[in-house]
Amino acid sequence: MGKSLAPANNSSNSTSTIMSLTWLALLVVAVALGGAQAGIGDVPADQAFLTKQREVLRLLNKVHEPNRYKEQVELGNAYEPVNSLPRYKNPAPVKQLVRLYRAGSLLPRGAIFTLFDDTHREQMILLFESLLYANDWETFLRTAAWARDRVNEGQFVYALCVAVLHREDTRGVVLPPPYEIYPHLFVNSEVIHAAYKAKMRQEPAVVHMNFTGTIRNPEQRVAYLGEDLGMNSHHAQWHMDFPFWWKEEEYGIPKERKGELFYYMHHQLIARFDLERLSNDLPFVEPLYWNERIKDGFYPQTTYRVGGEFPARPDNFAFHDLQNIKVQQMIDYTRRVREAISQQAVITETGDLYNISSPEGINVLGELVEPSTRSKHREYYGALHNYGHIMLGQITDPKRKFNMPPGVMEHFETATRDPAFFRLHKYIDNLFYEHKDLLPRYTVEELDLPGTTIEEVQVDPLETFFEYFDVDLLNALDDTEELPDVSIHARVRRLNHKPFVFSVKVNSDAERLVTVRVFLGPKYDWFGQEIPINDKRHYIVEIDKFVAKVNAGKTVITRKSSESSVTIPDRETTKVLTQKVEDAIAGKAQLTVNKDVRHCGYPDRLLLPKGRRDGMPFTLFVVLTDYEKDKVNDLPYDYDYGGSVSYCGTLGHRYPDAKPMGFPFDRRIDQDSFFTKNIYQRDVTITFKGSV
């Protein structure tokens, strides 16, 4: 990512030690999945890989303009895909893509692309499949070079990125941060206008960006989370890793537990948002309903590169019928999903009943609600999630009378900016919990880890603060080859936290491998009432999960916040990455590659909610389970999968945990029987130290 500028009063802070001398005598440093072995997959990059990395970076450079790299332009101009059909595993999408291009039927360059438009998406899929089915890297590159200046840039970026993430010969290639590929989707129009003025003067500039809304709008208090560049990127990247249009059988690349992961990742976003609301004296977010008005409006203050501003929504606005989606249909789809939940069975396209009363039922529901191509009955159950995004995106121009551009909800990169995103997903999340609440509570036998006791958990002081962060706007501005680039950045305020360490003191009757699950939840609700554990589970966020070895007797497991299985660190800027690649190709330096590198992941800065200046109490939970029962893949227990597995799963492997996602807080809880010796809770305080 770009430069991070922390407040001066936090720059000298260092992680304090947390263990007494007695603990130090017992210390065993646990090798942890997703953190302590973060570099387990790092190997020196060879010239072949470096070439791939450079070519991908060049293909994604200034995508709104014609390709400036002569070699790629010549490669694309000299290539005729339909004359090279044997070079593709499946030539059908190649032929169809070229036919549409020659007929002038493709979405024009410069037009606004949205995945929620069926035609836009179908055309993008043709390009993606042409790239995926290329037999080798050379064919892939030639196809991409051909498409670079012939296909709509939005479709090109999305198709290329998803193909790079899923091809075996491009594993480990790092993609530029989304906010550097198309900054217009991440910064407001005032910043863009100021940047253009600086560009015209050919003067370097840093433009400060404010969040949407004013102090008269209570939702503005949490705009820093909804509009956080890292969270926007995480949400967009998740939907690249797990596209709703993915054809598992056809592509031969399974997306195991995709429906469950859809539920869990979005549930965690909502729970995390609720913790931030409490930190800012706001109540938990309320779900929306199709037949009720949306209380809070939203003015995005952002503009498309071409096509005007993102539409605004006034307060107290009602849903309206769209041309192809009706309000009553959404009500009917919801009723049918609820009927399936109450009956614990969904109706399939053949009219059969498919049982969802098992722990795997959540995956079927997730595939139904999003929906994926594996929905048991798309026509009957509809597409609550996707249609919800479309209805919110087109709410101010439902009849297309004014031909307004797509709203923020019609792009995964911008959706979380709108507070209605969280209301929509709270509505969907409540459906999932209707299903979860019908499942039996976990028994003591399912919760317990016999012979293992957590004796104590210690944690550093938890402190948060705001800092400034600079975003490169190079790709936001029109340019010519004759005009030299000028350093122009947007400076945004973002939440961060002081690094911390926690330690878990364990007493075990034997040496064993354990999965350590760490969660954070609110202690009090908006009214100041302590939240019972069965209600609290709805607002608990997973902040880490890893595997550790405990010895017979006493063991102390330590873990750094930077090692979290939930988060990823700031991404390198395109400029820095490009320079490293060029230096490595020239033999001036060595570049390492991790074939499991992840782009999806919650920003490590946002691991903790803001808390309050006078300190805000939360509840920290640590749960130990038997790794031998949790194990799924035949890999070393300390394999890191590229990190961020909790919310983002894996690419190329099965989800590395046999337990239901969110275990043991995903089902109803009986206070009297829940807290076995391997489940520990303690109060912690998060203190907000200031802003800049």
Side-chain angles (χ1 to χ4, degrees), residues 12-178:
S12 62
N13 287 338
S14 61
T15 304
S16 62
T17 184
I18 66 171
M19 291 176 292
S20 65
L21 293 177
T22 302
W23 280 47
L24 287 173
L26 299 169
L27 178 62
V28 174
V29 178
V31 177
L33 171 64
Q37 296 292 314
I40 194 170
D42 290 356
V43 296
D46 58 22
Q47 286 294 318
F49 177 86
L50 292 171
T51 298
K52 294 174 185 178
Q53 179 68 75
R54 178 170 65 179
E55 295 295 346
V56 169
L57 290 175
R58 289 181 172 182
L59 285 166
L60 292 171
N61 179 63
K62 297 186 177 181
V63 292
H64 299 284
E65 303 173 14
N67 196 338
R68 292 190 179 183
Y69 292 99
K70 183 179 178 181
E71 298 85 352
Q72 288 187 351
V73 173
E74 292 176 348
L75 191 66
N77 289 338
Y79 188 63
E80 185 54 67
V82 292
N83 293 338
S84 306
L85 296 180
R87 304 182 69 161
Y88 300 89
K89 297 180 181 69
N90 179 0
V94 181
K95 291 190 288 186
Q96 178 71 352
L97 179 66
V98 174
R99 186 186 67 79
L100 291 175
Y101 168 69
R102 289 176 175 174
S105 300
L106 291 177
L107 183 68
R109 284 184 58 80
I112 298 170
F113 163 67
T114 169
L115 270 175
F116 293 105
D117 184 290
D118 292 344
T119 301
H120 293 187
R121 184 176 64 254
E122 289 164 3
Q123 292 178 359
M124 180 280 300
I125 291 174
L126 289 176
L127 175 57
F128 162 75
E129 291 176 347
S130 299
L131 295 168
L132 182 70
Y133 289 141
N135 285 335
D136 48 49
W137 163 255
E138 181 183 356
T139 305
F140 172 86
L141 179 59
R142 288 175 182 271
T143 307
W146 174 87
R148 170 62 170 78
D149 293 337
R150 292 170 174 81
V151 175
N152 174 273
E153 59 270 34
Q155 293 174 320
F156 176 80
V157 168
Y158 187 88
L160 179 70
C161 290
V162 178
V164 167
L165 290 169
H166 290 89
R167 282 183 63 92
E168 186 63 30
D169 58 5
T170 50
R171 283 188 62 185
V173 169
V174 177
L175 299 169

Side-chain angles (χ1 to χ4, degrees), residues 3 190 275 363 480:
K3 257 192 288 185
E190 289 184 358
L275 296 188
N363 189 64
T480 64

